[in-house]
Amino acid sequence: MKKAPALATVLLNRLGPRDESLVGDLHEEYATGRSRAWFWRQVMAAMAFGAAREIRRAPGRTIVAVATGWVVAAPVFLLGDRIAPGLAGFFWQWRQQAAYADGVWWPFYICALLVTYGGFGLSALVVARVNPNRPAMLLAYVASTFTALAVAGLVLEVLIIRYAAIPLPHPLFYAVFSTLPFLWHSGILLVPLTMLLFGAIAMRHAPRTA
Amino acid sequence: MSRFLTDYELMIMLAILRLRNDGYGVTIARELEQTAGRQTTLAAVYLALDRLERQGLVTSALGEATPERGGRAKKYFKVTSKGLHAVRATQRAFIALWSGIPQLQGGTR
């Protein structure tokens, strides 16, 4: 029998809609000769439509999930400025005062990224575990709030480079630049991927319900 | 008063009726593609069926599980009498809107 793409099947089983008939239909149709691209398209659509159905059925759960995601991630981000220098010092004997003189910041950047993405991963793990029935949609909504801030950070940075000034109120500047360090450089694409990956890991042993 | 169906819901209801109230996700999607020429995804079909079922316009029953489905059961759909009323009401509304438009008289091209 023709075997469906492994990664797409994993995503469908762990993060797709909990609808056995739909999953069965996808496998049946793929076995009749549909392409791998067709299967991937169907899996992505299943995840997206499952998300739409879930928010329509339980909008409150989405709001709670987004709040949970932020409550878990925020302390990591807020402590990131303290944890990252410590980690960089531990691994590479990096010192912040010395970096101002010699300009060597890469150990700090690497550790800051690790801490930041650790925060996303932890957030995804908790959101997926707390909401085992429809994790993909909820993770997508949590990730989209992070990504929106990453885009805001990128826009701010472009404005600063272009006009050499901050044309926005201080609280927004603080929220984007201080609570999400280094996010705007790498986060636009990597945040959703990181959250889906950690969500899939969290759902590995989760019980399936109808 | 029956509620009106969206064009996609109407197509799905007609596909189920064309399949003699014996359609499931795959056959309904094929009917939409082959007869109506509408490309769709199985997830979109199920999303619409879920909505129609919650409104009592269709009912479903689990069928047999086969090896090529990974042992998962098929879900067969049937239009209810309330669903049939909704199809007729939508048909009447479309026909009423259709009539009296000179550009749309005489053929389907």
Side-chain angles (χ1 to χ4, degrees):
Chain A
M1 197 174 76
K2 196 178 167 193
K3 212 165 158 51
L7 182 59
T9 305
V10 168
L11 284 176
L12 181 65
N13 288 337
R14 294 195 184 149
L15 299 174
R18 303 285 153 133
D19 191 330
E20 292 289 310
S21 306
L22 169 59
V23 176
D25 282 1
L26 285 174
H27 284 283
E28 179 188 328
E29 192 68 344
Y30 184 72
T32 63
R34 296 279 197 172
S35 67
R36 291 169 70 85
W38 177 89
F39 193 81
W40 267 105
R41 209 168 41 243
Q42 296 285 330
V43 169
M44 291 297 123
M47 289 169 68
F49 281 111
R53 185 164 65 178
E54 181 63 18
I55 196 169
R56 204 171 51 205
R57 279 183 177 174
R61 189 156 42 190
T62 307
I63 294 164
V64 170
V66 171
T68 306
W70 271 96
V71 165
V72 173
V76 181
F77 298 151
L78 290 170
L79 291 172
D81 272 348
R82 292 169 187 228
I83 299 169
L87 280 175
F90 179 77
F91 287 118
W92 292 287
Q93 286 77 49
W94 180 83
R95 294 286 171 269
Q96 193 160 356
Q97 289 304 323
Y100 286 116
D102 59 25
V104 177
W105 286 92
W106 63 263
F108 173 73
Y109 290 149
I110 289 171
C111 292
L113 278 172
L114 284 175
V115 170
T116 305
Y117 280 88
F120 295 136
L122 186 65
S123 174
L125 281 170
V126 172
V127 171
R129 285 309 248 178
V130 172
N131 304 279
N133 285 335
R134 299 287 189 278
M137 180 279 294
L138 296 172
L139 288 175
Y141 284 113
V142 177
S144 67
T145 61
F146 289 136
T147 307
L149 265 187
V151 173
L154 188 67
V155 171
L156 267 181
E157 192 161 321
V158 169
L159 289 173
I160 289 167
I161 291 168
R162 192 177 166 92
Y163 299 109
I166 305 163
L168 289 163
H170 178 71
L172 182 59
F173 173 81
Y174 179 81
V176 174
F177 278 80
S178 296
T179 62
L180 295 172
F182 316 107
L183 170 60
W184 59 95
H185 288 143
S186 60
I188 293 170
L189 284 175
L190 287 180
V191 172
L193 290 177
T194 304
M195 297 204 72
L196 277 179
L197 178 69
F198 276 81
I201 291 168
M203 296 309 294
R204 211 164 134 191
H205 302 298
R208 287 183 75 86
T209 54
Chain B
M1 189 181 133
S2 299
R3 87 152 172 99
F4 296 113
L5 302 167
T6 66
D7 65 330
Y8 190 67
E9 288 170 345
L10 180 61
M11 282 186 179
I12 284 181
M13 297 285 271
L14 292 174
I16 297 171
L17 290 168
R18 286 177 65 86
L19 293 163
R20 300 179 192 285
N21 273 328
D22 196 28
Y24 66 103
V26 169
T27 54
I28 294 167
R30 274 190 203 148
E31 191 68 24
L32 290 183
E33 286 181 19
Q34 290 168 4
T35 307
R38 176 146 184 175
Q39 297 293 318
T40 189
T41 62
L42 283 165
V45 169
Y46 271 89
L47 185 72
L49 286 168
D50 177 65
R51 192 167 55 237
L52 292 169
E53 190 168 20
R54 277 188 289 114
Q55 290 166 358
L57 304 179
V58 300
T59 55
S60 67
L62 287 179
E64 74 276 22
T66 56
E68 69 266 21
R69 298 175 57 82
R72 296 174 181 93
K74 291 176 184 174
K75 195 189 253 184
Y76 288 98
F77 291 90
K78 198 173 173 178
V79 175
T80 62
S81 57
K82 188 180 173 188
L84 214 50
H85 278 295
V87 170
R88 288 207 178 106
T90 308
Q91 182 193 27
R92 276 195 297 273
F94 273 121
I95 289 172
L97 284 167
W98 225 268
S99 60
I101 302 175
Q103 300 95 311
L104 297 177
Q105 300 302 313
T108 55
R109 285 173 187 274

